[in-house]
């Protein structure tokens, strides 16, 4: 009784049409499936359970009972118009962002423009840089470069370096790229914010780093949130591995921020004070104020969770509230209204230990986990034995691949040619909070012949030579991005 979407190739779909409609070998020659236009079938169910295609006036032909949703060419024209809008309209935002977020982002852009316009010489310099940089900083990817410009190198030969790391027993942990919510300092939680331009660039960069270090991902685990799914897609695209299985679970969702969802962190800090703010934002056992049963931020009002979140028990209280409100019996599941980090870990860690970890250890696979900050903080607390009293100190940068070697039980960063040789300075490049000493510790191993167990390793997995597609390009300044938006250019560095 479900509605399913099948996305495939022309002849694969023609084969399905032949099977569903019983099209003859001779007639199937005349059946064509245009690109990008949905062909929809509805079915009648007979008492014996058999399904028979339902024919309507909109059916394609005498042979095909399905119906196209629009006239041929309209869908493609709409997509081309949207792409042209993104290219030409200054500051255009993706329509998946909520109106309030789009408005806030526009106001932020205007504020920065006013500041920039107040200093003519600064504005002139930014405009000049904009004219010099015709192409986005991060768009010169290896896939678009001539073959002779791509430097393909093997990692440095060392048991403690990527050659051994990339083989198997590795978990790549990746926080999604930046969103407009991140940029504006809003509590996001389960709100389905999409990636900002900077986040798209970060996700692509993560895939490039994995490719440069020779990683082959066997499976991807991600949440039900678009920002994590999009990040996984973009990283896999750089690895030429979009075919790799992607397993989605709500149990890898971000921590549920309850009534704080969508609110400004600065405003909450100012209203409630630093102590309460820190407890709500980073506390291990403290939950923020709960969302109400009928709040737009409560996942119990989101169709995806109502229909498909089926692995938690029913809630008597929530069922009673919704039954009284609707005047009929409604069974509602116990979907979180607010979570502490511990609550978040109570769903993420069992999923990790039951589903992800066995795949790595028993099947010797390398997996990518693309998720959100608090889900990752909990996972690293589990993997790195971080005590609960210090977990509040841990910060996770967006779009940065963290590689956990299961065999040697240590976490490492991937070299891109920009890290200092000094371990402390290398770690200082990113904001890991004040607990980097707990995240990046010496490797340990039960194997007496393992060289990595006998040394204090570099926190960075170094490359002997940096490929051309990872060569550093200076990240654009705020001025550059403001002027770039106004001139229709996309600066995606960082």
């Amino acid at each position: 009784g479900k509605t399913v979407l099948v996305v495939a190739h022309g002849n694969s779909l023609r084969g399905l049409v032949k099977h569903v409609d019983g099209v003859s070998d001779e007639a199937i020659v005349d059946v064509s499936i245009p690109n990008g236009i949905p062909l929809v079938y509805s079915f009648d169910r007979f008492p014996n359970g058999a399904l028979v295609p339902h024919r309507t006036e909109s059916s394609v032909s005498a042979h095909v009972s399905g119906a196209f949703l629009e006239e041929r060419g309209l869908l493609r024209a709409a997509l081309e118009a949207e792409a042209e809008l993104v290219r030409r309209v200054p500051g255009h935002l993706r329509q998946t962002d909520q109106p309030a977020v789009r408005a806030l982002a526009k106001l932020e852009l205007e504020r920065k423009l006013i500041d920039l316009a107040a200093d003519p010489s600064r504005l002139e310099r930014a405009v000049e840089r904009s004219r010099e940089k015709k192409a986005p900083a991060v768009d010169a990817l290896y896939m678009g470069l001539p073959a002779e410009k791509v430097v393909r190198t093997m990692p440095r030969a060392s048991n403690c370096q990527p050659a051994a790391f990339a083989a198997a027993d590795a978990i790549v942990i990746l926080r999604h790229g930046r969103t407009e919510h991140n940029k504006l300092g809003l509590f996001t939680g389960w709100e389905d914010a999409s990636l900002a331009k900077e986040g798209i660039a970060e996700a692509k960069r993560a895939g490039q780093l994995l490719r440069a270090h020779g990683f082959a991902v066997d499976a991807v685990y991600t949440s039900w949130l678009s920002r994590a799914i999009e990040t996984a897609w973009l990283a896999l695209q750089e690895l030429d591995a979009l075919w790799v299985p992607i397993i989605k679970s709500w149990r890898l969702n971000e921590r549920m921020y309850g009534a704080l969802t969508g609110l400004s962190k600065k405003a909450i800090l100012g209203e409630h004070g630093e102590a309460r703010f820190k407890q709500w934002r980073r506390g291990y056992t403290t939950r923020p104020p709960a969302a109400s049963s009928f709040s737009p931020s409560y996942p119990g009002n989101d169709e995806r969770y109502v229909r498909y979140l089926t692995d938690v028990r029913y809630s008597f209280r929530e069922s009673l509230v919704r039954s009284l409100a609707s005047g009929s019996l409604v069974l509602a599941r116990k979907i979180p209204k607010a979570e502490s980090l511990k609550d978040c870990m109570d769903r993420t860690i069992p999923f990790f230990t039951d589903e992800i970890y066995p795949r790595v250890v028993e099947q010797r696979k390398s997996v990518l986990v693309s998720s959100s900050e608090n889900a990752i903080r909990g996972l690293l607390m589990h993997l790195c034995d971080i005590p609960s009293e210090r977990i509040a100190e841990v910060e996770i940068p967006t779009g940065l691949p963290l590689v956990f070697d299961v065999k040697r039980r240590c976490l490492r960063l991937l070299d891109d040619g920009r890290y200092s040789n000094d371990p402390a300075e290398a770690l200082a490049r990113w904001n890991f909070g004040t607990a980097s000493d707990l995240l990046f510790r010496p490797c340990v191993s039960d194997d007496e012949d393992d060289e990595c167990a006998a040394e204090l390793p570099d926190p960075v997995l170094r490359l002997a030579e940096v490929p051309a597609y990872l060569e550093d390009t200076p990240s654009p300044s705020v001025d550059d991005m403001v002027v770039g938006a106004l001139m229709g250019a996309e600066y995606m560095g960082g």
Side-chain angles (χ1 to χ4, degrees):
K2 301 291 186 182
T3 299
V4 300
L5 172 67
V6 179
V7 181
H9 302 277
N11 284 303
S12 300
L13 295 178
R14 289 174 66 244
L16 289 179
V17 168
K18 185 178 189 304
H19 172 74
V20 170
D21 280 311
V23 182
S24 67
D25 294 352
E26 295 76 17
I28 194 62
V29 175
D30 298 323
V31 174
S32 63
I33 308 293
N35 297 330
I37 299 179
L39 175 61
V40 180
Y41 277 86
S42 59
F43 295 88
D44 296 319
R45 186 184 295 274
F46 279 71
N48 63 359
L51 295 176
V52 177
H54 180 72
R55 183 173 291 278
T56 68
E57 294 180 357
S58 302
S59 295
V60 173
S61 68
H63 301 299
V64 181
S65 55
F68 289 115
L69 283 186
E70 49 85 52
E71 296 179 14
R72 185 174 302 189
L74 289 184
L75 179 62
R76 181 172 296 173
L79 292 174
E80 290 175 350
E82 174 69 12
E84 184 72 6
L85 188 67
V86 172
R87 189 177 70 84
R88 290 186 176 274
V89 178
H92 173 75
L93 291 171
R94 303 172 68 194
Q95 293 304 307
T96 48
D97 291 315
Q98 294 188 354
V101 176
R102 295 202 301 271
L104 285 170
K106 183 179 179 182
L107 286 172
E108 182 71 5
L109 181 65
E110 291 173 351
R111 183 188 65 77
K112 291 175 180 176
L113 176 61
I114 292 171
D115 292 342
L116 187 58
D119 187 342
S121 61
R122 177 177 154 204
L123 176 60
E124 185 178 348
R125 290 194 301 272
V127 170
E128 187 61 31
R129 287 195 301 271
S130 173
R131 288 170 177 163
E132 291 173 357
K133 299 176 181 178
K134 297 293 185 181
V138 188
D139 269 1
L141 309 181
Y142 70 91
M143 294 177 69
L145 291 173
E148 63 271 14
K149 292 187 179 180
V150 178
V151 181
R152 303 186 184 278
T153 60
M154 291 301 292
R156 183 183 303 168
S158 166
N159 285 345
C160 297
Q161 293 299 329
F165 242 104
D169 303 330
I171 302 172
V172 180
I173 301 170
L174 178 62
R175 183 187 174 190
H176 62 77
R178 273 175 287 178
T179 66
E180 291 295 336
H181 281 60
N182 295 141
K183 292 166 61 179
L184 294 169
L186 306 180
F187 284 101
T188 311
W190 286 29
E191 193 161 306
D192 204 13
S194 58
L195 294 181
K197 291 178 180 178
E198 297 89 342
I200 293 172
E202 288 174 336
K204 290 180 177 180
R205 187 73 167 178
Q208 293 177 38
L209 277 171
L210 292 170
R211 181 178 184 274
H213 285 262
F215 278 86
V217 176
D218 298 300
V220 175
Y221 290 87
T222 188
S223 68
W224 285 6
L225 299 172
S226 297
R227 56 192 184 270
I229 298 169
E230 291 172 359
T231 297
W233 282 347
L234 291 166
L236 288 177
Q237 187 174 34
E238 298 304 317
L239 290 169
D240 193 22
L242 284 172
W243 54 271
V244 166
I246 300 178
I247 299 93
K248 306 183 187 78
S249 173
W250 73 273
R251 294 183 177 276
L252 292 177
N253 275 18
E254 173 61 295
R255 175 186 170 196
M256 173 55 186
Y257 274 114
L260 301 183
T261 302
L263 300 183
S264 166
K265 294 175 183 177
K266 287 184 179 180
I268 296 299
L269 174 63
E271 182 178 350
H272 296 279
E274 186 173 359
R276 176 61 66 182
F277 173 77
K278 285 184 176 179
Q279 285 181 330
W280 284 344
R281 182 170 181 248
R282 284 286 182 258
Y284 178 61
T285 57
T286 303
R287 294 172 183 162
S292 70
S293 293
F294 299 101
S295 166
S297 62
Y298 176 48
N301 298 314
D302 187 324
E303 186 68 14
R304 83 190 80 179
Y305 299 107
V306 173
R307 291 188 63 184
Y308 299 109
L309 198 159
T310 58
D311 56 346
V312 297
R313 67 176 178 84
Y314 287 105
S315 166
F316 174 79
R317 182 182 181 281
E318 196 63 24
S319 297
L320 178 62
V321 168
R322 292 184 177 273
S323 296
L324 291 174
S326 66
S328 60
L329 178 62
V330 176
L331 294 178
R333 295 189 182 273
K334 190 174 177 59
I335 301 174
K337 293 184 174 181
E339 291 180 311
S340 64
L341 179 61
K342 182 180 182 302
D343 294 328
C344 182
M345 291 178 66
D346 286 343
R347 56 175 165 84
T348 58
I349 300 306
F351 179 78
F352 173 79
T353 55
D354 294 343
E355 299 291 334
I356 301 177
Y357 192 77
R359 192 166 200 155
V360 177
V361 175
E362 297 171 11
Q363 302 179 28
R364 294 187 59 80
K365 302 292 186 182
S366 292
V367 302
L368 168 65
V369 178
S370 176
S371 189
S372 302
E373 183 176 24
N374 283 291
I376 290 174
R377 287 174 67 236
L379 179 58
L380 291 176
M381 180 179 175
H382 171 75
L383 291 173
C384 300
D385 297 321
I386 299 174
S388 59
E389 61 269 19
R390 292 198 62 188
I391 190 59
E393 302 175 39
V394 174
E395 301 278 348
I396 307 297
T398 55
L400 180 68
L402 304 173
V403 181
F404 186 80
D405 186 325
V406 174
K407 181 181 177 182
R408 302 184 181 102
R409 301 194 289 280
C410 54
L411 193 68
R412 291 295 173 264
L413 299 169
L414 299 180
D415 184 23
D416 63 355
R418 297 175 59 189
Y419 284 99
S420 166
N421 289 325
D422 178 79
E425 291 183 8
L427 292 178
R429 177 181 168 187
W430 305 103
N431 178 22
F432 292 108
T434 57
S436 58
D437 59 312
L438 298 178
L439 291 173
F440 299 94
R441 297 184 297 188
C443 296
V444 294
S445 177
D446 297 329
D447 186 353
E448 295 181 356
D449 297 326
D450 191 340
E451 296 178 21
C452 292
E455 63 178 76
L456 181 64
D458 188 338
V460 181
L461 296 173
R462 306 282 178 175
L463 289 172
E465 187 175 5
V466 179
Y469 55 86
L470 284 183
E471 286 182 356
D472 180 43
T473 302
S475 300
S477 66
V478 173
D479 292 356
D480 292 333
M481 289 187 284
V482 172
V483 172
L486 292 170
M487 298 181 67
E490 295 182 1
Y491 291 93
M492 299 171 65

